[in-house]
């Protein structure tokens, strides 16, 4: 659900809600550029880690412990959901590094 939420956030924000802003000179203002960068990086970061997470998550659930895999998957999802709120600040590393360790 987190994956679809972040994907929808990017798609709706760029294709439906802010199309006029994206096509105007205001799109280059620093605060607007930062917002669109946050949309792109949030989805991009999640998409980059998704194949590795799913492969390790499924292997662990099937071969080791489904219960522990469920807890790790829940923790991974919560950390992923926090990434957009913390992205460009250094605090975002508090969501990124634990996800690397989970994988």
């Amino acid at each position: 659900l987190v994956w679809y939420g972040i994907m929808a956030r990017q798609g709706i924000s760029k294709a439906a809600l802010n199309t006029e802003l994206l096509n105007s000179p205001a799109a280059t203002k620093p605060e607007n550029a930062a917002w669109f960068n946050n949309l792109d990086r949030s989805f991009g970061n999640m998409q980059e880690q998704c194949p590795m997470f799913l492969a390790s998550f499924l292997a662990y659930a099937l071969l080791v412990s489904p219960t522990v895999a469920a807890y790790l998957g829940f923790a991974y999802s919560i950390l992923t959901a926090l990434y957009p709120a913390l992205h460009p600040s250094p605090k975002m590393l508090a969501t990124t590094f634990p996800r690397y360790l989970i994988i």
Side-chain angles (χ1 to χ4, degrees):
L1 293 176
V2 172
W3 198 86
Y4 287 111
I6 292 176
M7 180 178 62
R9 174 181 175 255
Q10 181 193 34
I12 290 170
S13 294
K14 292 182 92 174
L17 300 177
N18 297 308
T19 53
E20 290 180 21
L21 178 60
L22 274 170
N23 295 323
S24 73
T28 59
K29 287 185 178 179
E31 61 271 8
N32 294 335
W35 168 251
F36 290 120
N37 184 42
N38 181 292
L39 293 172
D40 290 340
R41 280 310 314 142
S42 297
F43 182 70
N45 181 272
M46 182 187 57
Q47 192 175 21
E48 291 163 359
Q49 291 189 16
C50 186
M52 295 169 289
F53 169 72
L54 288 177
S56 62
F57 173 74
L58 291 174
Y60 194 88
L62 292 172
L63 301 173
V64 181
S65 172
T67 304
V68 174
Y71 287 125
L72 291 172
F74 182 75
Y76 187 89
S77 297
I78 296 297
L79 291 167
T80 301
L82 291 173
Y83 184 88
L86 299 175
H87 176 263
S89 78
K91 294 178 185 177
M92 76 174 183
L93 298 176
T95 69
T96 305
F97 285 132
R99 288 189 289 153
Y100 293 152
L101 295 174
I102 290 172
I103 291 174

